[in-house]
Coordinates of all heavy atoms in Angstrom, one line a residue:
Chain A
Y222 N 7.1 -9.4 -66.0 CA 7.8 -8.2 -65.6 C 7.1 -7.7 -64.3 O 5.9 -7.6 -64.3 CB 7.9 -7.2 -66.7 CG 8.6 -7.7 -67.9 CD1 7.8 -8.3 -68.9 CD2 10.0 -7.7 -68.0 CE1 8.5 -8.8 -70.0 CE2 10.6 -8.2 -69.1 CZ 9.9 -8.7 -70.1 OH 10.5 -9.2 -71.2
S223 N 7.9 -7.2 -63.4 CA 7.3 -6.7 -62.2 C 6.7 -5.3 -62.4 O 5.8 -4.9 -61.7 CB 8.4 -6.6 -61.1 OG 9.4 -5.7 -61.5
L224 N 7.2 -4.7 -63.4 CA 6.6 -3.4 -63.8 C 6.1 -3.4 -65.2 O 6.8 -3.9 -66.1 CB 7.6 -2.2 -63.6 CG 8.1 -1.9 -62.2 CD1 9.2 -0.9 -62.2 CD2 6.9 -1.4 -61.4
Y225 N 4.9 -2.9 -65.5 CA 4.4 -2.9 -66.8 C 5.3 -2.1 -67.8 O 5.4 -2.5 -68.9 CB 3.0 -2.2 -66.7 CG 2.2 -2.4 -68.0 CD1 1.6 -3.6 -68.4 CD2 2.0 -1.3 -68.9 CE1 0.9 -3.8 -69.5 CE2 1.3 -1.5 -70.1 CZ 0.7 -2.7 -70.4 OH 0.0 -2.9 -71.5
S226 N 5.9 -1.0 -67.3 CA 6.7 -0.2 -68.2 C 7.9 -1.0 -68.7 O 8.3 -0.8 -69.8 CB 7.2 1.0 -67.4 OG 8.0 0.7 -66.4
L227 N 8.4 -2.0 -67.9 CA 9.5 -2.8 -68.4 C 9.0 -3.7 -69.5 O 9.6 -3.8 -70.6 CB 10.0 -3.7 -67.3 CG 10.7 -3.0 -66.1 CD1 11.1 -4.0 -65.0 CD2 11.9 -2.3 -66.6
A228 N 7.8 -4.2 -69.4 CA 7.2 -5.1 -70.4 C 7.0 -4.2 -71.7 O 7.2 -4.7 -72.8 CB 5.9 -5.6 -69.9
V229 N 6.6 -3.0 -71.5 CA 6.4 -2.1 -72.6 C 7.7 -1.9 -73.4 O 7.8 -2.0 -74.6 CB 5.9 -0.7 -72.2 CG1 5.9 0.3 -73.3 CG2 4.4 -0.9 -71.6
E230 N 8.8 -1.6 -72.6 CA 10.1 -1.4 -73.3 C 10.5 -2.7 -74.0 O 11.0 -2.6 -75.2 CB 11.2 -1.1 -72.2 CG 11.0 0.3 -71.6 CD 10.8 1.4 -72.7 OE1 11.6 1.4 -73.7 OE2 9.9 2.2 -72.6
E231 N 10.3 -3.8 -73.4 CA 10.6 -5.1 -74.1 C 9.8 -5.3 -75.3 O 10.4 -5.7 -76.4 CB 10.4 -6.3 -73.1 CG 11.4 -6.4 -72.0 CD 12.7 -6.8 -72.4 OE1 13.0 -8.1 -72.5 OE2 13.6 -6.0 -72.8
A232 N 8.6 -5.0 -75.3 CA 7.7 -5.1 -76.5 C 8.2 -4.2 -77.6 O 8.3 -4.6 -78.7 CB 6.3 -4.8 -76.1
K233 N 8.6 -3.0 -77.2 CA 9.1 -2.0 -78.2 C 10.4 -2.6 -78.9 O 10.6 -2.5 -80.1 CB 9.5 -0.7 -77.5 CG 8.4 0.2 -77.2 CD 8.9 1.5 -76.6 CE 7.8 2.4 -76.1 NZ 8.4 3.5 -75.3
A234 N 11.2 -3.3 -78.1 CA 12.4 -3.9 -78.6 C 12.2 -5.2 -79.4 O 13.1 -5.8 -79.9 CB 13.4 -4.2 -77.4
G235 N 10.9 -5.6 -79.5 CA 10.6 -6.8 -80.3 C 10.7 -8.1 -79.5 O 10.8 -9.1 -80.1
A236 N 10.6 -8.0 -78.2 CA 10.7 -9.3 -77.4 C 9.5 -10.1 -77.5 O 9.6 -11.3 -77.1 CB 11.1 -8.9 -76.0
G237 N 8.4 -9.6 -77.9 CA 7.2 -10.4 -78.0 C 6.0 -9.5 -78.1 O 6.0 -8.4 -78.4
I238 N 4.8 -10.2 -77.7 CA 3.6 -9.5 -77.8 C 3.1 -9.1 -76.4 O 3.1 -10.0 -75.5 CB 2.5 -10.3 -78.6 CG1 3.2 -10.8 -79.9 CG2 1.3 -9.5 -78.8 CD1 2.3 -11.6 -80.7
L239 N 2.6 -7.9 -76.3 CA 2.1 -7.5 -75.0 C 0.7 -7.2 -75.1 O 0.2 -6.7 -76.1 CB 2.9 -6.2 -74.6 CG 2.5 -5.4 -73.4 CD1 2.8 -6.2 -72.1 CD2 3.2 -4.1 -73.3
L240 N 0.0 -7.4 -74.0 CA -1.4 -6.9 -74.0 C -1.4 -5.5 -73.6 O -1.0 -5.1 -72.5 CB -2.2 -7.8 -73.0 CG -3.1 -8.9 -73.6 CD1 -4.0 -9.5 -72.5 CD2 -3.9 -8.3 -74.7
G241 N -1.9 -4.6 -74.5 CA -1.8 -3.2 -74.2 C -3.1 -2.7 -73.5 O -4.2 -3.2 -73.7
H242 N -2.9 -1.7 -72.7 CA -4.0 -1.0 -72.1 C -4.0 0.4 -72.7 O -3.0 1.1 -72.7 CB -3.8 -0.9 -70.6 CG -3.9 -2.2 -69.9 ND1 -5.0 -2.7 -69.2 CD2 -3.0 -3.2 -69.8 CE1 -4.8 -3.9 -68.8 NE2 -3.6 -4.2 -69.1
T243 N -5.1 0.8 -73.3 CA -5.2 2.0 -74.1 C -4.5 3.1 -73.4 O -3.6 3.8 -74.0 CB -6.7 2.5 -74.2 OG1 -7.5 1.4 -74.0 CG2 -6.9 3.1 -75.6
C244 N -4.9 3.4 -72.2 CA -4.4 4.6 -71.6 C -2.9 4.6 -71.2 O -2.3 5.6 -71.1 CB -5.2 5.0 -70.4 SG -5.7 3.6 -69.4
L245 N -2.3 3.4 -71.2 CA -0.9 3.3 -70.8 C 0.0 3.3 -72.0 O 1.2 3.4 -71.9 CB -0.7 2.0 -70.0 CG -1.5 1.9 -68.7 CD1 -1.1 0.5 -68.0 CD2 -1.1 3.0 -67.8
L246 N -0.6 3.3 -73.2 CA 0.3 3.2 -74.4 C 0.1 4.4 -75.3 O 0.6 4.3 -76.4 CB 0.0 1.9 -75.1 CG 0.3 0.6 -74.3 CD1 0.0 -0.6 -75.2 CD2 1.8 0.6 -73.9
E247 N -0.6 5.4 -74.9 CA -0.8 6.5 -75.8 C 0.4 7.0 -76.5 O 0.4 7.1 -77.7 CB -1.4 7.7 -74.9 CG -2.8 7.5 -74.5 CD -3.1 8.5 -73.4 OE1 -2.2 9.0 -72.7 OE2 -4.4 8.8 -73.2
E248 N 1.5 7.1 -75.7 CA 2.7 7.7 -76.3 C 3.3 6.7 -77.3 O 3.6 7.1 -78.4 CB 3.7 7.9 -75.1 CG 4.8 8.9 -75.5 CD 5.7 9.1 -74.3 OE1 5.5 8.4 -73.3 OE2 6.7 9.9 -74.5
A249 N 3.4 5.4 -76.9 CA 4.0 4.5 -77.8 C 3.2 4.3 -79.1 O 3.8 4.2 -80.2 CB 4.2 3.1 -77.1
L250 N 1.9 4.3 -79.0 CA 1.1 4.2 -80.2 C 1.2 5.4 -81.1 O 1.3 5.3 -82.3 CB -0.4 3.9 -79.8 CG -0.7 2.6 -79.1 CD1 -2.1 2.6 -78.6 CD2 -0.4 1.4 -80.0
A251 N 1.2 6.6 -80.4 CA 1.3 7.8 -81.2 C 2.7 7.8 -81.9 O 2.8 8.2 -83.1 CB 1.2 9.0 -80.3
A252 N 3.7 7.4 -81.2 CA 5.1 7.4 -81.8 C 5.3 6.3 -82.8 O 6.2 6.3 -83.5 CB 6.1 7.4 -80.7
G253 N 4.4 5.3 -82.8 CA 4.5 4.2 -83.7 C 5.5 3.2 -83.3 O 5.8 2.2 -84.0
T254 N 6.0 3.3 -82.0 CA 7.0 2.3 -81.6 C 6.3 1.0 -81.2 O 6.9 -0.1 -81.1 CB 7.7 2.8 -80.4 OG1 6.8 3.4 -79.4 CG2 8.7 3.9 -80.8
L255 N 5.0 1.1 -81.0 CA 4.2 -0.1 -80.8 C 2.9 0.0 -81.7 O 2.4 1.1 -81.9 CB 3.7 -0.3 -79.3 CG 4.8 -0.7 -78.3 CD1 4.2 -0.8 -76.9 CD2 5.3 -2.1 -78.7
V256 N 2.5 -1.1 -82.2 CA 1.3 -1.0 -83.1 C 0.3 -2.1 -82.6 O 0.8 -3.2 -82.2 CB 1.6 -1.2 -84.6 CG1 2.5 -0.1 -85.0 CG2 2.4 -2.5 -84.8
P257 N -0.9 -1.9 -82.8 CA -1.9 -2.9 -82.4 C -1.8 -4.1 -83.4 O -1.6 -3.9 -84.6 CB -3.3 -2.2 -82.6 CG -3.0 -0.8 -82.8 CD -1.6 -0.7 -83.3
V258 N -2.0 -5.3 -82.9 CA -1.9 -6.5 -83.8 C -3.3 -6.6 -84.5 O -3.3 -7.0 -85.7 CB -1.6 -7.7 -82.9 CG1 -1.6 -9.0 -83.8 CG2 -0.3 -7.6 -82.2
F259 N -4.3 -6.4 -83.8 CA -5.7 -6.5 -84.5 C -6.4 -5.1 -84.3 O -5.9 -4.2 -83.6 CB -6.5 -7.5 -83.8 CG -5.9 -8.9 -83.7 CD1 -5.4 -9.4 -82.5 CD2 -5.7 -9.6 -84.9 CE1 -4.8 -10.6 -82.5 CE2 -5.1 -10.9 -84.8 CZ -4.6 -11.4 -83.6
D260 N -7.5 -5.0 -85.0 CA -8.3 -3.7 -84.9 C -9.1 -3.7 -83.6 O -9.2 -2.6 -83.0 CB -9.2 -3.7 -86.1 CG -8.5 -3.3 -87.4 OD1 -7.3 -2.9 -87.3 OD2 -9.0 -3.6 -88.5
K261 N -9.5 -4.8 -83.2 CA -10.5 -4.8 -82.1 C -9.9 -4.8 -80.8 O -8.8 -5.4 -80.5 CB -11.4 -6.1 -82.3 CG -12.7 -6.0 -81.6 CD -13.8 -6.9 -82.2 CE -15.0 -7.1 -81.3 NZ -15.3 -5.8 -80.6
S262 N -10.5 -4.1 -79.9 CA -10.0 -4.1 -78.5 C -11.2 -4.6 -77.6 O -12.4 -4.5 -78.0 CB -9.6 -2.7 -78.0 OG -10.6 -1.8 -78.0
Y263 N -10.9 -5.0 -76.4 CA -11.9 -5.5 -75.5 C -11.8 -4.8 -74.2 O -10.7 -4.5 -73.7 CB -11.7 -7.1 -75.3 CG -11.8 -7.8 -76.6 CD1 -10.7 -8.0 -77.4 CD2 -13.1 -8.3 -77.0 CE1 -10.8 -8.7 -78.6 CE2 -13.2 -8.9 -78.2 CZ -12.1 -9.1 -79.0 OH -12.2 -9.8 -80.2
S264 N -12.9 -4.7 -73.5 CA -12.9 -4.0 -72.2 C -12.4 -5.0 -71.2 O -12.8 -6.2 -71.2 CB -14.3 -3.5 -71.8 OG -14.4 -3.2 -70.5
S265 N -11.6 -4.6 -70.3 CA -11.2 -5.4 -69.2 C -12.2 -5.5 -68.1 O -12.0 -6.2 -67.1 CB -9.8 -4.9 -68.6 OG -10.1 -3.8 -67.8
G266 N -13.3 -4.7 -68.2 CA -14.3 -4.6 -67.1 C -13.9 -3.6 -66.1 O -14.8 -3.2 -65.3
R267 N -12.7 -3.1 -66.1 CA -12.3 -2.1 -65.2 C -12.2 -0.7 -65.9 O -12.3 -0.7 -67.1 CB -11.0 -2.4 -64.6 CG -10.9 -3.6 -63.7 CD -9.5 -3.9 -63.3 NE -8.6 -4.1 -64.4 CZ -7.9 -5.2 -64.6 NH1 -8.0 -6.2 -63.8 NH2 -7.1 -5.3 -65.7
S268 N -12.1 0.3 -65.1 CA -11.9 1.6 -65.7 C -10.7 2.3 -65.0 O -10.4 2.0 -63.9 CB -13.1 2.5 -65.6 OG -14.2 1.8 -66.2
L269 N -10.2 3.3 -65.6 CA -9.2 4.2 -65.0 C -10.0 5.2 -64.1 O -10.8 5.9 -64.7 CB -8.4 4.9 -66.0 CG -7.2 5.7 -65.5 CD1 -6.2 4.7 -64.9 CD2 -6.6 6.5 -66.6
I270 N -9.8 5.1 -62.8 CA -10.6 5.9 -61.9 C -9.8 6.9 -61.1 O -8.8 6.5 -60.5 CB -11.4 5.0 -61.0 CG1 -12.4 4.1 -61.8 CG2 -12.2 5.8 -59.9 CD1 -13.1 3.1 -60.9
L271 N -10.3 8.1 -61.1 CA -9.7 9.1 -60.3 C -10.5 9.3 -59.0 O -11.7 9.5 -59.1 CB -9.6 10.5 -61.0 CG -9.3 11.7 -60.3 CD1 -7.8 11.7 -59.9 CD2 -9.6 13.0 -61.1
S272 N -9.9 9.2 -57.8 CA -10.6 9.3 -56.6 C -10.1 10.5 -55.8 O -8.9 10.8 -55.8 CB -10.5 8.1 -55.7 OG -10.9 6.9 -56.5
L273 N -11.0 11.2 -55.2 CA -10.7 12.4 -54.3 C -11.1 12.0 -52.9 O -12.2 11.4 -52.7 CB -11.4 13.6 -54.8 CG -11.3 14.0 -56.3 CD1 -12.3 15.1 -56.6 CD2 -9.9 14.4 -56.5
P274 N -10.4 12.4 -51.9 CA -10.8 12.3 -50.6 C -12.0 13.1 -50.3 O -12.3 14.1 -51.0 CB -9.6 12.7 -49.7 CG -8.8 13.6 -50.6 CD -9.1 13.2 -52.0
H275 N -12.8 12.7 -49.3 CA -14.0 13.4 -49.0 C -13.8 14.9 -48.7 O -14.4 15.8 -49.3 CB -14.7 12.8 -47.8 CG -16.0 13.4 -47.5 ND1 -17.1 13.4 -48.4 CD2 -16.4 14.1 -46.4 CE1 -18.1 14.1 -47.8 NE2 -17.7 14.5 -46.6
A276 N -12.9 15.2 -47.8 CA -12.5 16.5 -47.5 C -11.0 16.7 -47.7 O -10.2 15.9 -47.3 CB -12.9 16.9 -46.1
S277 N -10.6 17.7 -48.4 CA -9.2 17.9 -48.6 C -8.9 19.4 -48.5 O -9.8 20.3 -48.7 CB -8.8 17.4 -50.0 OG -7.5 17.8 -50.3
R278 N -7.7 19.7 -48.1 CA -7.2 21.1 -48.2 C -7.2 21.4 -49.7 O -7.1 20.5 -50.5 CB -5.9 21.2 -47.6 CG -4.8 20.5 -48.4 CD -3.8 19.8 -47.5 NE -3.2 18.7 -48.2 CZ -2.0 18.7 -48.7 NH1 -1.2 19.8 -48.4 NH2 -1.5 17.7 -49.3
R279 N -7.1 22.6 -50.1 CA -7.0 23.0 -51.4 C -8.1 22.4 -52.3 O -7.9 22.0 -53.4 CB -5.6 22.6 -52.0 CG -4.4 22.9 -51.2 CD -3.2 22.3 -51.8 NE -2.0 23.0 -51.4 CZ -1.6 24.2 -51.8 NH1 -2.3 24.7 -52.8 NH2 -0.5 24.7 -51.4
R280 N -9.3 22.4 -51.7 CA -10.4 21.8 -52.4 C -10.5 22.3 -53.9 O -10.6 21.5 -54.8 CB -11.7 22.2 -51.7 CG -12.5 21.1 -51.1 CD -13.3 20.4 -52.2 NE -13.8 19.1 -51.8 CZ -13.4 17.9 -52.3 NH1 -12.3 17.9 -53.1 NH2 -13.9 16.8 -52.0
A281 N -10.4 23.6 -54.0 CA -10.6 24.2 -55.3 C -9.5 23.7 -56.3 O -9.8 23.2 -57.4 CB -10.5 25.7 -55.2
E282 N -8.2 23.8 -55.9 CA -7.2 23.4 -56.8 C -7.3 21.9 -57.1 O -7.2 21.5 -58.3 CB -5.8 23.6 -56.1 CG -5.4 25.0 -56.1 CD -5.7 25.6 -54.7 OE1 -6.7 25.2 -54.1 OE2 -4.9 26.5 -54.2
I283 N -7.6 21.1 -56.1 CA -7.7 19.6 -56.3 C -8.8 19.3 -57.4 O -8.6 18.5 -58.3 CB -7.9 18.9 -55.0 CG1 -6.8 19.2 -54.0 CG2 -8.1 17.4 -55.3 CD1 -5.5 18.5 -54.3
N284 N -9.9 20.0 -57.2 CA -11.0 19.8 -58.2 C -10.6 20.2 -59.6 O -10.9 19.6 -60.5 CB -12.2 20.6 -57.7 CG -13.0 19.8 -56.7 OD1 -13.0 18.6 -56.8 ND2 -13.8 20.5 -55.9
D285 N -9.9 21.4 -59.7 CA -9.4 21.8 -61.0 C -8.4 20.8 -61.6 O -8.5 20.5 -62.8 CB -8.7 23.2 -60.8 CG -9.6 24.3 -60.6 OD1 -10.8 24.0 -60.8 OD2 -9.2 25.4 -60.2

Side-chain angles (χ1 to χ4, degrees):
Chain A
Y222 301 92
S223 64
L224 292 173
Y225 190 74
S226 63
L227 292 177
V229 171
E230 289 311 312
E231 289 286 270
K233 284 183 187 168
I238 308 178
L239 174 69
L240 261 188
H242 295 257
T243 341
C244 37
L245 299 180
L246 296 179
E247 285 166 340
E248 203 181 359
L250 293 173
T254 48
L255 286 177
V256 296
V258 178
F259 305 108
D260 287 340
K261 201 155 165 39
S262 67
Y263 300 87
S264 165
S265 74
R267 295 174 302 238
S268 304
L269 189 65
I270 296 176
L271 170 71
S272 304
L273 306 171
H275 181 62
S277 171
R278 71 220 153 107
R279 308 174 160 283
R280 244 283 164 246
E282 287 95 328
I283 302 285
N284 275 333
D285 287 348

